[in-house]
């Protein structure tokens, strides 16, 4: 059993409390998903549970983590820098448990992830692996330690659809406990049997958390129903309050008018002293009513307070994109891996052939998605497409890479990364947009590299929005957005009036956004889906 008790975490840089008194228990068989908007401390919580020293540089944490005899294994969101330059063999050799397994055990573990038994001994450097291959390799190394509790930070990132289905089966069949973060709604729905929801309310000034031992779908259903019921009750209570207050106002005015009448009539009244006493008693009763009403108001049902998903729409102010316009007529005889020496990969003998005879035609505001197995070259292909489209003047294209550091200066603030001109008016507009995307004033001044992946993705959203692009080239566009914001992102891209050329393994994105889906293989692109 893993027990977490009263965990409070404060961000050192801006002294902001990102979670307070979070408590929960994980038992064998529990598969708890941690959800919440970007920057709410989900990854920080997993790091702290695995090893409190991992967060000491940027956060102050208090609370208890009672691990007992549990063996914890942690999958970070990205490959550690010190591992990136290792060969695959060196990476496994650095894990003592690797030497304790016999060949049959090693082969069986590799088979679970769809990797050959020779994978352990590969000479390829870790940074050269595709995103999905990196995740598989890290998972394989974790399994060598026979863990009883898995802490998985975005294990679904960059996995192909077949491996995502494997991951679902793996999580569901794991005999220990699993605490994981994911933005893949299908994966969450297929695996999680309990939910930890971290929220930041009132402009990130108040923390709230909810632990629900139900499936994700049931949690969302109950949460929506509870909020709707609370909102209706609050509205009903407010109507009753207004009726009561109006009745009270009339009584108060009536007593006040009677007092004026008594004061004016004076000695002409039959018994002015008795009349004054009666009015005094009535006023005392009215004041008592006022005090009682104040107590009733304090018990009134309040409007539900919750953390909204982002609400954002892309706008197009560039060259209009006609329905029949040829956005892309792409032909490539050979697609090869990037050359490690920086030479032209299409001509370098040291590069590996990925695919041949690639053809892709995109017209008008089509929404295109390219899928395929990990390592087949989807990202490499998308970069080639971006290189062809970005210089064009008849369209305005923007590119969102899988690794945001490729295009964002991680030392600059979000405002600096978004602003094109840098004048005061533009900076004010960008700050307003960032505020709408739930950035605090302090976060707007943080170096981009200190922000979460989801917050960095939001910066790209704003860059695309201010660029006036009518062609979006997107590598895994939904990978860093919370499952609560996922529907907003999909709706935004579905309604985008321009063209979208994307790579994604997000099954909801593929189903709800894309008109055409192509699979990349050795023989080029094969059309899998086309929507009329």
């Amino acid at each position: 059993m893993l027990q977490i008790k009263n965990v409070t975490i404060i961000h050192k840089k801006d002294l902001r409390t990102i979670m307070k008194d979070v408590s929960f228990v994980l038992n064998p068989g529990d598969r708890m998903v941690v959800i919440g908007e970007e920057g709410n401390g989900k990854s920080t919580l997993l790091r702290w549970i695995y090893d409190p020293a991992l967060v000491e540089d940027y956060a102050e944490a208090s609370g208890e983590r009672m691990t007992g005899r549990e063996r914890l294994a942690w999958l970070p969101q990205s490959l550690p820098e010190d591992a990136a330059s290792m060969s695959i063999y060196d990476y496994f050799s650095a894990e003592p448990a690797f030497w304790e397994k016999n060949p049959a055990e090693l082969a069986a573990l590799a088979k679970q992830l769809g990797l050959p038994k020779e994978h352990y001994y590969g000479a390829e450097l870790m940074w050269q692996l595709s995103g999905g291959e990196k995740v598989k390799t890290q998972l394989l190394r974790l399994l060598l330690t026979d863990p009883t509790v898995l802490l998985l930070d975005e294990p679904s990132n960059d996995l192909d659809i077949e491996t995502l289905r494997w991951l679902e089966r793996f999580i569901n069949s794991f005999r220990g406990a699993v605490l994981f973060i994911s933005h893949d709604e299908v994966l969450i729905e297929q695996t999680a049997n309990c939910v930890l929801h971290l929220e930041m309310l009132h402009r990130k000034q108040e923390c709230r958390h909810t632990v629900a031992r139900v499936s994700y779908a049931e949690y969302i259903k109950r949460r929506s129903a509870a909020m709707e019921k609370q909102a209706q009750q609050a509205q009903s209570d407010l109507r009753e309050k207004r009726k009561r207050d109006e009745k009270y106002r009339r009584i108060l005015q009536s007593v006040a008018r009677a007092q004026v009448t008594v004061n004016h009539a004076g000695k002409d009244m039959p018994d002015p002293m008795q009349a004054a006493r009666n009015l005094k008693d009535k006023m005392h009763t009215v004041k008592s009513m006022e005090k009682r009403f104040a107590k009733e108001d304090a018990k009134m049902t309040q409007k539900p307070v919750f953390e909204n998903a982002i609400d954002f729409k892309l706008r197009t102010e560039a060259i209009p994109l006609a329905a029949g316009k040829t956005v892309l007529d792409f032909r490539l005889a050979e697609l090869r891996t990037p050359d490690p020496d920086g030479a032209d990969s299409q001509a370098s003998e040291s590069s590996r052939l990925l695919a041949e005879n690639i053809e892709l035609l995109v017209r008008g505001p089509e929404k295109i998605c390219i899928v395929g197995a990990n390592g087949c070259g989807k990202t490499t292909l998308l970069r080639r497409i971006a290189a062809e489209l970005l210089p064009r003047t008849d369209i305005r294209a923007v590119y969102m890479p899988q690794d945001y550091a490729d295009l964002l200066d991680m030392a600059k603030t979000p405002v600096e990364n978004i602003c094109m001109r840098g004048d005061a008016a533009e900076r004010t507009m960008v700050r307003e947009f960032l505020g709408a995307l739930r950035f605090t004033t302090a976060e707007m001044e943080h170096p981009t590299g200190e922000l979460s992946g989801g917050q960095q993705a939001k910066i790209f959203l704003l860059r695309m929005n201010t660029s006036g692009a009518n062609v979006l080239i997107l590598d895994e566009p939904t990978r860093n957005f919370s499952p609560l914001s996922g529907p907003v992102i999909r709706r935004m891209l579905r309604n985008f009036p321009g063209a979208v050329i994307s790579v994604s393994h997000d099954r909801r994105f593929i189903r709800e956004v894309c008109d055409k889906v192509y699979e990349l293989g050795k023989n080029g692109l094969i059309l899998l889906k086309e929507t009329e």
Side-chain angles (χ1 to χ4, degrees):
M1 180 178 72
L2 172 67
Q3 186 173 359
I4 303 302
K5 189 174 181 181
N6 297 329
V7 177
T8 295
I9 298 179
I10 300 172
H11 200 286
K12 286 184 177 180
K13 186 157 190 174
D14 53 20
L15 300 179
R16 180 169 57 87
T17 302
I18 56 178
M19 66 186 70
K20 186 175 182 180
D21 294 332
V22 174
S23 300
F24 60 90
V25 174
L26 279 182
N27 294 302
D30 285 344
R31 303 181 295 276
M32 177 178 283
V33 63
V34 186
I35 64 171
E37 291 304 305
E38 297 75 21
N40 281 12
K42 302 184 295 294
S43 294
T44 297
L45 177 62
L46 259 64
R47 290 190 190 103
W48 181 84
I49 292 173
Y50 180 68
D51 181 0
L54 292 173
V55 305
E56 287 178 352
D57 288 346
Y58 67 93
E60 293 182 359
S62 62
E64 298 180 69
R65 48 186 290 279
M66 290 164 273
T67 59
R69 296 182 180 181
E70 303 290 353
R71 296 185 298 277
L72 276 58
W74 170 58
L75 177 72
Q77 193 172 123
S78 57
L79 183 68
E81 289 184 9
D82 59 349
S85 58
M86 291 182 177
S87 69
I88 297 174
Y89 176 66
D90 289 339
Y91 180 69
F92 283 109
S93 296
E95 172 51 62
F98 172 67
W99 302 101
E100 299 172 4
K101 300 289 184 185
N102 62 47
E105 291 172 325
L106 292 174
L109 287 173
K111 186 178 180 181
Q112 286 185 35
L113 281 86
L115 295 170
K117 60 184 179 182
E118 297 82 8
H119 185 71
Y120 296 101
Y121 310 100
E124 196 169 4
L125 299 181
M126 290 291 290
W127 71 265
Q128 293 176 304
L129 300 178
S130 71
E133 289 170 330
K134 290 175 187 173
V135 171
K136 289 181 182 180
T137 302
Q138 291 176 89
L139 276 174
L140 182 54
R141 180 168 143 165
L142 291 185
L143 294 181
L144 293 173
T145 64
D146 299 319
T148 60
V149 177
L150 292 177
L151 308 172
L152 307 179
D153 193 349
E154 294 293 348
S156 54
N157 271 2
D158 311 319
L159 296 184
D160 58 39
I161 293 174
E162 181 181 350
T163 310
L164 280 170
R165 294 190 180 115
W166 167 85
L167 183 60
E168 290 170 2
R169 294 192 298 271
F170 172 76
I171 291 175
N172 284 329
S173 63
F174 187 70
R175 293 184 178 180
V178 182
L179 180 66
F180 70 101
I181 303 167
S182 179
H183 297 148
D184 188 309
E185 292 169 69
V186 176
L187 175 77
I188 294 172
E189 290 173 355
Q190 296 291 339
T191 58
N193 57 15
C194 41
V195 176
L196 170 60
H197 187 179
L198 302 176
E199 295 180 271
M200 295 290 290
L201 311 174
H202 304 302
R203 297 184 178 272
K204 297 191 177 183
Q205 297 302 307
E206 179 185 337
C207 304
R208 182 172 71 188
H209 75 279
T210 304
V211 177
R213 306 197 73 82
V214 296
S215 69
Y216 175 73
E218 181 64 21
Y219 171 70
I220 295 299
K221 178 182 176 181
R222 291 185 183 182
R223 180 174 183 263
S224 298
M227 287 185 173
E228 183 178 355
K229 181 179 180 181
Q230 184 178 340
Q232 291 175 348
Q233 186 61 50
Q235 191 173 24
S236 175
D237 287 357
L238 184 59
R239 284 196 299 266
E240 292 301 316
K241 171 180 164 53
R242 287 171 177 168
K243 291 179 183 177
R244 184 205 68 195
D245 288 351
E246 177 59 25
K247 182 177 180 181
Y248 172 75
R249 186 185 62 80
R250 290 197 298 268
I251 294 172
L252 184 61
Q253 288 178 343
S254 174
V255 174
R257 283 196 298 269
Q259 285 181 323
V260 172
T261 301
V262 168
N263 290 337
H264 282 299
K267 297 180 180 180
D268 296 335
M269 297 184 67
D271 190 352
M273 296 297 293
Q274 183 61 42
R277 282 194 294 271
N278 290 342
L279 285 175
K280 184 178 180 180
D281 291 342
K282 286 183 180 181
M283 184 57 72
H284 178 75
T285 301
V286 170
K287 292 298 181 181
S288 297
M289 291 171 59
E290 184 179 18
K291 292 179 182 179
R292 186 175 78 250
F293 292 160
K295 292 180 181 179
E296 291 176 357
D297 290 348
K299 298 178 181 179
M300 279 180 57
T301 305
Q302 301 298 311
K303 289 183 178 180
V305 178
F306 56 94
E307 185 177 37
N308 288 313
I310 62 172
D311 188 8
F312 193 74
K313 294 180 181 179
L314 287 173
R315 55 194 175 93
T316 300
E317 298 175 352
I319 305 165
L321 197 59
K325 179 176 178 58
T326 299
V327 174
L328 178 68
D329 188 358
F330 185 82
R331 300 172 190 275
L332 186 65
E334 290 185 344
L335 179 69
R336 291 183 171 273
T337 57
D339 189 88
D341 298 324
D344 182 0
S345 63
Q346 299 307 114
S348 172
E349 294 181 358
S350 63
S351 62
R352 177 168 55 91
L353 180 65
L354 296 170
E356 297 180 291
N357 304 318
I358 296 174
E359 296 182 2
L360 180 61
L361 179 65
V362 180
R363 286 199 173 100
E366 287 186 318
K367 311 295 188 288
I368 304 296
C369 185
I370 300 170
V371 301
N374 289 132
C376 71
K378 300 183 296 297
T379 292
T380 302
L381 174 59
L382 202 67
R383 286 175 182 153
R384 298 275 300 187
I385 291 172
E388 183 166 315
L389 292 180
L390 291 174
R392 293 251 302 266
T393 56
D394 60 323
I395 59 173
R396 187 171 295 175
V398 294
Y399 172 47
M400 180 179 185
Q402 192 176 119
D403 186 351
Y404 303 140
D406 289 349
L407 292 180
L408 292 178
D409 187 334
M410 293 297 165
K412 289 184 176 180
T413 67
V415 176
E416 292 169 337
N417 266 310
I418 296 168
C419 286
M420 302 294 180
R421 303 187 308 273
D423 56 74
E426 183 187 37
R427 292 177 69 86
T428 299
M429 178 189 71
V430 167
R431 285 179 174 277
E432 290 175 355
F433 280 141
L434 286 169
L437 289 179
R438 307 193 70 258
F439 280 75
T440 65
T441 301
E443 286 170 339
M444 296 179 197
E445 299 302 326
H446 283 188
T448 299
E450 294 182 4
L451 301 176
S452 70
Q455 289 172 311
Q456 292 174 13
K458 288 177 179 179
I459 294 172
F460 262 100
L461 279 183
L462 290 180
R463 280 168 64 105
M464 289 189 291
N465 197 49
T466 56
S467 71
N470 56 12
V471 178
L472 307 181
I473 309 161
L474 310 175
D475 197 347
E476 296 287 358
T478 61
R479 68 194 293 265
N480 282 308
F481 287 103
S482 77
L484 299 173
S485 290
V488 178
I489 301 300
R490 294 194 296 271
R491 184 169 60 250
M492 174 193 76
L493 293 173
R494 175 71 260 176
N495 295 333
F496 177 63
V500 176
I501 303 170
S502 64
V503 165
S504 181
H505 299 129
D506 184 335
R507 289 161 282 182
R508 284 278 172 84
F509 171 83
I510 293 169
R511 184 167 65 245
E512 296 178 15
V513 175
C514 303
D515 305 313
K516 294 180 180 179
V517 180
Y518 293 88
E519 182 175 19
L520 178 62
K522 291 291 186 182
N523 297 317
L525 292 169
I526 300 173
L527 181 63
L528 298 181
K529 165 196 166 182
E530 183 171 11
T531 304
E532 296 295 335

